[in-house]
Amino acid sequence: MSDIKALLAQFDEISGNPRKMLGEYLANGEKVIGCFPVYTPQPLVTAAGLVPIGLWGGQVNPQVSGKYSPIFTCSILHSCLEYGMSGAYQGLSAALMPILCDTFRGTSAAWRAGVKDIPLIVFIHPQNRKDPGALDYMIEEYKSVKTALEKIAGKEITNRALANALTLYNKRNAAMREFCALANEHLDLITPVARHHVMKAVTFLKPEKAVEMVGELNKALKDQPVCKWTGKKVILTGITAEPDDLLVSFTENKVAVVGDDLAQESRQYRTDYPSANSALESLALQWLEIRGCSLAHDDNNTTRGKMLVELAERTGADGVVLCMMRFCDIEEYDQPYVIKMLQEAGLLAFSVDIDQSTTDSGQARTKIQAFAEN
Amino acid sequence: MFAVGIDIGSTASKAAVITEDGVIASKAIVPIGTGTVGPARVFAEALDRAGIARSDVKWITATGYGRFSFEGINDQKSELSCHAKGISHLLPQVRTIIDIGGQDIKVMRINEKGTLVNFVMNDKCAAGTGRFLDTMAKVLDVSVMDLSGLSQRAEEPAEISSTCTVFAESEVISKLAGNVKLENIVAGIHKSVAKRVASLVQRCGIEQQVAMSGGVALNKGLVHSLEEEIHSRIYVHEDCQLAGALGAALYAWDHLQPA
């Protein structure tokens, strides 16, 4: 038990102090690449001998980013730009930015104007993923990222190095999926906050370190007796579920998080890099295999709803909470379809507003409490 | 042995006292909310009207935005659950409830037991809330209580944005500068609120009958606009403003019943 507490404390520390992690990497003489959310080709970064670190913004009231970013910019990109402009990300050798929505496009220009010391490596995921040319397009985009990273690393990224990195990331994904499954057997130990901290901390860790730490936690969890949870259970879906106060509201109301479909959490770990003719092709193929994500276009608008209903059935969830990133239009568009399918499946579904510019979670707290009471 | 429910909202405090036999003994409303003397005053007033002392009260349940900050309570419940329980008691046939509070809008679907089966609530945005109406009344230099009468004398509602309180305020000032009749501006404001609320009603889904709770339900002009937007009659009980406090009192009363 003390092992688990000590391990969880480490994840808490990492999750809450990405700047400290960046400092440690830099002090070690390593070059670090910031990775905007989500689906950045991190295996390329690792294969180049560089360190990838997630850029998730944070709870900050934007002060300087307003120069380039309108107030209705989605909360997470607004805070990332704020941190970039205010120096919080200083030391990064570059930042990788996928243009997954219109806000990314605008933010890429704002970043170039406002963040002079961190070069931006921009690439585009093809949204028409059924087109035969989509794979070639993705490979070409990743080739341009590869070239930029090789310049920073001062060395070539070989097919073998990338293949090894893909294997490592698949191991990490497996460890994370195992953690999610084990967490559901130990809901007394893995609170919503603890679960989130593990998932988020991994985005700041080197993949080999993540495999090691999560593997250790999984081993420790397996040694504990299974907990019979008597409270309600929910699944979280959206981009992120922060700040911690929001997650504490679940614990206060005896509601456990038994699964997630969050871009910051499980969406990153649920699609492996498949076998392919080359490592670069495998890297690109992963994008074509992603399902049920608002950031990856799908002609079938029932995919995400179906996945959530299945996840709820598998985990025994009573409801689904849609964590709506403020001003995230793509998540807003998905909401009606998803809610309809969840309600038809007899699940209670409600949304909470995720806004990184304020720490007030009063209305979300009321909704979570109402869910628990009824 | 009495049970008390206190609803501490952002703009008003409400309380209800229930006797051992489940009869409403008193009700009180004070037009100031959390962070003021309102909650203490409304509690004292409700006890005074019931003719009882603090020692006669066995259970107090708080609800509303300020439910965590009132001292001496036995427990607290979300306002969604309390409005559902309160309206179910006042109007048992109701299955859809619309509550426009000081800083949020709630739409709830309930079953025959008063249990929530679905709910939608706006998030950090004042558009369409009671605060929105307060702001507009100030801009127009009229009392919020007069909005209902004014809108009922309108000939043609002015077009007012339903997306943002700040934008709407600018629009109202612009209408005033353009000599648009006050009555038409007020009707436009009601229409704007009604459109905003109707979109949440659509998201939640309507099941008959529909009722409104909360103080804004006393604004007949707004209720009429909302009826037009959602194409449904809306029932309003005379104690609509007390629905949350009554629901809390009923929860408190439940606690006093033998298991």
Side-chain angles (χ1 to χ4, degrees), chain A residues 335 343 360 367 369 373, chain B residues 67 76 78 81 118 203:
Chain A
Q335 190 183 13
Q343 288 175 345
D360 177 29
K367 293 177 191 180
Q369 187 179 355
E373 288 167 352
Chain B
R67 65 188 181 280
Q76 50 82 21
S78 74
S81 298
N118 192 20
R203 285 199 175 198

Side-chain angles (χ1 to χ4, degrees), chain A residues 93-126:
Chain A
S93 296
L96 276 174
M97 182 186 278
I99 307 297
L100 286 162
C101 67
D102 285 350
T103 309
F104 270 109
R105 197 174 51 176
T107 305
S108 68
W111 183 278
R112 285 181 173 126
V115 189
K116 300 289 184 197
D117 52 347
I118 305 172
L120 197 63
I121 304 169
V122 168
F123 63 101
I124 299 172
H125 291 89

Side-chain angles (χ1 to χ4, degrees), chain A residues 326 332 335-336 343 348-353 355 358 360-361 363-367 369-371 373-374, chain B residues 65 67-68 76-81 103-104 114-119 121-125 203-204 251:
Chain A
R326 177 144 266 213
E332 288 276 357
Q335 190 183 13
Q343 288 175 345
L348 207 150
F350 62 96
S351 67
V352 295
D353 205 27
D355 185 351
T358 171
D360 177 29
S361 302
Q363 275 149 320
R365 199 177 185 184
T366 296
K367 293 177 191 180
Q369 187 179 355
F371 167 72
E373 288 167 352
N374 287 273
Chain B
Y65 189 63
R67 65 188 181 280
F68 300 102
Q76 50 82 21
K77 291 273 178 189
S78 74
E79 50 266 47
L80 287 153
S81 298
Q103 61 173 13
D104 54 40
T115 305
L116 282 175
V117 292
N118 192 20
F119 62 86
M121 187 175 163
N122 73 316
D123 258 300
K124 303 174 185 87
C125 175
R203 285 199 175 198
C204 191
Y251 273 117

Side-chain angles (χ1 to χ4, degrees), chain A residues 24 49 51 56 97 106 129 133 144 162 231 243 250 276 283 336-337:
Chain A
E24 283 176 16
V51 181
W56 296 101
M97 182 186 278
R129 298 181 297 153
S144 72
L162 183 56
F250 288 105
L283 188 72
Y337 301 107

Side-chain angles (χ1 to χ4, degrees), chain B residues 128-216:
Chain B
T129 66
R131 187 78 71 192
F132 176 88
L133 291 170
D134 287 345
T135 304
M136 294 304 137
K138 272 184 198 156
V139 173
L140 297 171
D141 196 25
V142 298
S143 159
V144 74
M145 304 302 289
D146 295 333
L147 293 176
S148 180
L150 283 164
S151 75
Q152 288 176 75
R153 294 198 296 275
E155 290 152 6
E156 193 182 352
E159 196 66 38
I160 309 282
S161 165
S162 59
T163 53
C164 173
T165 303
V166 180
F167 291 160
E169 188 176 342
S170 303
E171 278 184 70
V172 166
I173 292 167
S174 164
K175 303 281 180 205
L176 284 171
N179 290 323
V180 176
K181 275 182 71 180
L182 181 65
E183 290 82 353
N184 289 347
I185 297 177
V186 174
I189 289 166
H190 285 166
K191 205 172 168 59
S192 152
V193 171
K195 281 182 186 295
R196 177 82 176 184
V197 176
S199 66
L200 289 182
V201 173
Q202 298 303 333
R203 285 199 175 198
C204 191
I206 289 188
E207 191 181 338
Q208 294 297 333
Q209 298 172 349
V210 182
M212 253 185 97
S213 65
V216 176

